[in-house]
Amino acid sequence: MASPILQMQSITKTFPGVKALQDVTLSVQRGEIHAICGENGAGKSTLMKVLSGVYPHGTYDGTILFEGEEMRFSSINDSEEKGIVIIHQELALVPYLSVAENIFLGNEQRRGAFIDWNHTNAEAAKLLARVGLDENPTTPVGQLGVGKQQLIEIAKALSKEVRLLILDEPTAALNDDDSEHLLGLLRHLKEQGVTSIIISHKLNEIAEIADSTTIIRDGQSIKTLDMVADEVTQDRIISLMVGRDLEHRYPEHVSKVGAEILRIEDWTVHHPTQPERVIVDRANLEVKAGEIVGIAGLMGAGRTELAMSIFGRSYGSRISGKVFLHGKEIQTRTVSEAIAHGLAYTTEDRKHYGLNLIQDIKTNIAAASLRKFASGAGFVNGNEEIKVAEEYRRDMNIRTPNVLAQVGKLSGGNQQKVVLSKWIHTDPEVLILDEPTRGIDVGAKYEIYTIINRLADAGKAVIVISSELPELLGICDRIYTLSAGRITGQLPKEQATQESLMALMTKEREQV
């Protein structure tokens, strides 16, 4: 057997009060696609930051061998010089610079003292062709979607003559087509001799693409599986990740559905900058007390746009239609008005719109209901903020020592629990949850599902928007389908299947 390209031996990394990695061992064979799995906070990203020099030599214990030579990286530049390139989950591109400028940022193509722009654009075009992206190198990156930006990051890595490519949750924000293209590209790079490490929560993708998978749990390496020889199943990976068997991916739940709480009639939304474009077309839906209702649709169907337009007209222009709460028409012209009527909306993009990442937990939980914390003098009562946040920390099982911890340093699952806490404290009657489990692991997902069930049991009307049909089938009582902005059907859970939902999601004209 050939010697591995990478060996990480007895890696231990400690932060103040927290041991993030404990004696972790990782071995990656040359030319393979190696997956790393683990729950949020297990230490996966920390391990890769140790490898790439983000955490320099001397700040951790253990040994890194690359191509048989011990590495002592002081910075990410050192690892890139050896051909180790990491692409983080949060893409490091400058939106106002061109594709070519981003690809060669820090590695400018010079002729003497000046940048040779003709050569830069020509070389960028060659790299774009290698990753299968047909874009003009002079296009500003900010004009491109996330899927294309991910490919530009890989093109940037190829410009550095990458030998080991590390991708942290590369498909978390991609649709199915972009994800499939990216996985195909990794296979193509493998044929060219590039070794890849992929961190992902999407076990179906890991089963499809990985040659080996290493499981990390609570900062320790548990086991490395040969995905072919070991006949690995998703259930086995999950069991190793969480340290216990999950007999069911979704908690059992018996709904007690009551009277109608929310009803939307003939809801129409136009594009915010192109008013002639109809994004949501005469949508009608209702949700009852104690009911969990799903909204399914392909990318671009209008799911998020529907939710945001209902919640204080946060999206769209020329909005028309009616919103009823307990049978009485209400106005939701602003976010404040929507909150006052008992509506809450958790965004699909918690890092940009759901949380203030540089603030602590207590401040984020209080953000949507500051009036509840106001003292008689008009100031925010900090002690009350701490008291309430501590209650949610315990009740929601937010894994952190105290509520003064910075939200940006929490794992994705714990961040999502903070978002839910913030909106639950507004005491809403209707919760709209947009991709509530995106980017979090199976163990944390189970906890989120349990919280959703508790909200329904408390008599709330819950709407769940999700790109994962198994998730909707696993937790919802009823599912609406959207296609090209129109509601094309609704099915109770007893009648819904992935096939029946997909048929309605691809239906174009008829509206229920």
Side-chain angles (χ1 to χ4, degrees):
M1 188 176 187
S3 60
I5 188 172
L6 171 71
Q7 291 176 286
M8 302 183 75
Q9 301 170 344
S10 302
I11 302 296
T12 298
K13 172 67 178 173
T14 302
F15 297 102
V18 179
K19 185 160 282 189
L21 298 173
Q22 171 92 38
D23 199 30
V24 173
T25 296
L26 175 69
S27 181
V28 179
Q29 299 302 313
R30 191 182 312 276
E32 76 168 342
I33 298 175
H34 193 109
I36 298 180
C37 286
E39 293 189 89
N40 287 102
K44 309 180 296 295
S45 296
T46 301
L47 183 65
M48 292 301 99
K49 288 177 180 178
V50 167
L51 170 59
S52 61
V54 174
Y55 298 137
H57 183 264
T59 65
Y60 61 88
D61 297 322
T63 304
I64 298 174
L65 298 175
F66 185 66
E67 299 278 21
E69 179 185 354
E70 183 175 351
M71 298 289 114
R72 299 184 176 186
F73 300 135
S74 297
S75 68
I76 198 166
N77 291 332
D78 292 347
S79 63
E80 288 184 350
E81 285 181 8
K82 292 292 184 179
I84 300 173
V85 180
I86 183 169
I87 299 175
H88 297 281
Q89 186 174 356
E90 306 299 328
L91 301 181
L93 298 173
V94 182
Y96 304 109
L97 295 183
S98 71
V99 172
E101 288 171 316
N102 271 280
I103 288 175
F104 292 108
L105 190 62
N107 183 31
E108 286 76 13
Q109 307 298 291
R110 298 179 183 275
R111 177 180 292 177
F114 302 96
I115 295 175
D116 186 338
W117 289 111
N118 289 333
H119 181 69
T120 296
N121 290 329
E123 290 301 306
K126 293 177 184 177
L127 291 167
L128 293 177
R130 283 188 68 184
V131 300
L133 186 56
D134 183 19
E135 288 291 338
N136 190 318
T138 63
T139 303
V141 160
Q143 295 181 10
L144 304 177
V146 176
K148 292 182 178 180
Q149 290 186 24
Q150 190 73 264
L151 297 177
I152 291 168
E153 283 276 25
I154 295 176
K156 185 175 180 179
L158 294 176
S159 75
K160 300 171 183 176
E161 299 182 3
V162 61
R163 293 154 73 189
L164 175 62
L165 179 64
I166 306 164
L167 302 103
D168 192 353
E169 296 288 352
T171 64
L174 303 187
N175 61 33
D176 291 342
D177 289 340
D178 287 340
S179 295
E180 192 57 41
H181 181 78
L182 180 60
L183 297 181
L185 175 59
L186 292 182
R187 295 188 190 95
H188 182 61
L189 293 176
K190 175 183 174 181
E191 294 171 357
Q192 297 178 2
V194 177
T195 305
S196 297
I197 295 176
I198 179 172
I199 299 172
S200 179
H201 290 130
K202 297 185 178 180
L203 301 186
N204 58 325
E205 291 182 353
I206 287 173
E208 179 183 343
I209 197 172
D211 300 299
S212 303
T213 299
T214 294
I215 313 298
I216 296 179
R217 184 174 74 234
D218 297 331
Q220 296 180 300
S221 47
I222 303 300
K223 191 175 183 64
T224 295
L225 302 168
D226 184 317
M227 297 299 287
V228 176
D230 293 342
E231 298 182 354
V232 179
T233 64
Q234 291 189 29
D235 286 342
R236 185 179 181 191
I237 294 175
I238 291 170
S239 177
L240 289 168
M241 283 172 57
V242 303
R244 64 190 187 280
D245 290 324
L246 287 180
E247 296 180 3
H248 305 286
R249 301 280 184 91
Y250 308 99
E252 293 186 8
H253 184 242
V254 178
S255 298
K256 297 179 181 178
V257 179
E260 173 191 286
I261 291 184
L262 179 73
R263 184 169 80 253
I264 310 297
E265 289 186 356
D266 295 326
W267 196 254
T268 300
V269 181
H270 293 252
H271 192 278
T273 60
Q274 303 171 38
E276 70 280 359
R277 284 181 56 195
V278 177
I279 304 300
V280 179
D281 190 3
R282 292 169 291 158
N284 296 283
L285 64 83
E286 63 172 5
V287 194
K288 298 177 180 177
E291 187 178 32
I292 303 172
V293 169
I295 298 181
L298 300 174
M299 190 66 65
R303 299 168 304 171
T304 293
E305 292 82 357
L306 171 62
M308 291 181 66
S309 62
I310 294 170
F311 186 67
R313 306 198 174 195
S314 305
Y315 173 91
S317 64
R318 292 170 53 186
I319 297 173
S320 61
K322 296 180 179 181
V323 180
F324 295 87
L325 194 70
H326 297 295
K328 180 181 178 181
E329 185 176 357
I330 61 171
Q331 299 298 324
T332 59
R333 293 162 295 195
T334 65
V335 169
S336 296
E337 200 169 33
I339 294 173
H341 282 300
L343 273 62
Y345 170 68
T346 68
T347 172
E348 63 177 336
D349 190 348
R350 60 178 173 267
K351 290 182 181 294
H352 286 93
Y353 302 116
L355 295 167
N356 185 335
L357 296 179
I358 63 173
Q359 288 282 10
D360 55 31
I361 294 170
K362 70 172 178 60
T363 302
N364 274 274
I365 289 177
S369 51
L370 280 175
R371 292 182 184 278
K372 293 186 176 183
F373 299 97
S375 66
F379 297 101
V380 173
N381 186 330
N383 291 332
E384 186 66 17
E385 277 187 315
I386 293 174
K387 176 185 174 183
V388 169
E390 280 290 349
E391 291 173 357
Y392 279 105
R393 183 181 70 85
R394 293 190 298 269
D395 190 48
M396 306 285 273
N397 193 26
I398 301 172
R399 295 188 178 96
T400 180
N402 59 66
V403 297
L404 301 180
Q406 186 177 320
V407 166
K409 294 183 178 179
L410 300 179
S411 68
N414 286 311
Q415 287 181 353
Q416 190 65 23
K417 292 175 187 176
V418 174
V419 173
L420 289 172
S421 299
K422 175 178 76 171
W423 287 111
I424 291 171
H425 192 62
T426 66
D427 194 23
E429 295 196 66
V430 181
L431 287 102
I432 306 173
L433 311 178
D434 197 348
E435 301 286 3
T437 64
R438 172 172 285 173
I440 61 180
D441 62 79
V442 289
K445 282 185 177 182
Y446 194 91
E447 291 185 308
I448 297 295
Y449 300 146
T450 301
I451 293 168
I452 292 172
N453 288 344
R454 281 165 40 195
L455 292 170
D457 291 342
K460 310 295 185 183
V462 183
I463 299 174
V464 178
I465 300 170
S466 177
S467 300
E468 299 182 31
L469 293 184
E471 179 170 81
L472 294 177
L473 292 167
I475 65 173
C476 294
D477 302 304
R478 192 161 47 90
I479 302 171
Y480 284 95
T481 54
L482 266 176
S483 177
R486 294 191 174 195
I487 292 180
T488 55
Q490 60 169 304
L491 292 172
K493 64 180 178 181
E494 297 82 8
Q495 298 176 17
T497 64
Q498 291 196 55
E499 292 75 17
S500 62
L501 290 174
M502 186 59 70
L504 289 169
M505 287 159 56
T506 54
K507 199 173 183 179
E508 293 186 2
R509 298 188 179 281
E510 182 181 348
Q511 168 140 0
V512 177

